[in-house]
Amino acid sequence: MKLIVAIVQDEDAGRLVSALMDKGFGVTKLATTGGFLRAGNTTLLIGVDDAKLQGTLDIIEKVCKSRK
């Protein structure tokens, strides 16, 4: 069992939580603020079995976008 702590931008959080829950993953969502620009972020706590780790990371990479 692994615990993923994913800190994502607020713009991506809703879509990511929906995508993870559609695949059957349990997600705990925490609203957080911090970083250089004090931008709003969301911290997600995701517990996954070892066998599903890479699939979970793939979903996160697919849904979340890099912004400037």
Side-chain angles (χ1 to χ4, degrees):
M1 185 68 104
K2 302 287 185 195
L3 175 65
I4 299 173
V5 179
I7 301 170
V8 300
Q9 295 179 0
D10 283 342
E11 293 88 359
D12 297 326
R15 287 181 287 122
L16 181 56
V17 169
S18 294
L20 291 169
M21 292 183 73
D22 287 346
K23 297 291 183 179
F25 296 104
V27 180
T28 299
K29 179 179 173 184
L30 305 170
T32 55
T33 303
F36 179 70
L37 299 176
R38 302 279 186 226
N41 298 311
T42 300
T43 301
L44 301 177
L45 304 176
I46 310 159
V48 298
D49 291 326
D50 292 343
K52 296 182 179 181
L53 178 63
Q54 190 57 50
T56 307
L57 295 175
D58 291 342
I59 292 170
I60 294 169
E61 288 179 14
K62 181 180 176 184
V63 171
C64 297
K65 307 289 185 221
S66 177
R67 294 180 179 81
K68 293 185 180 183

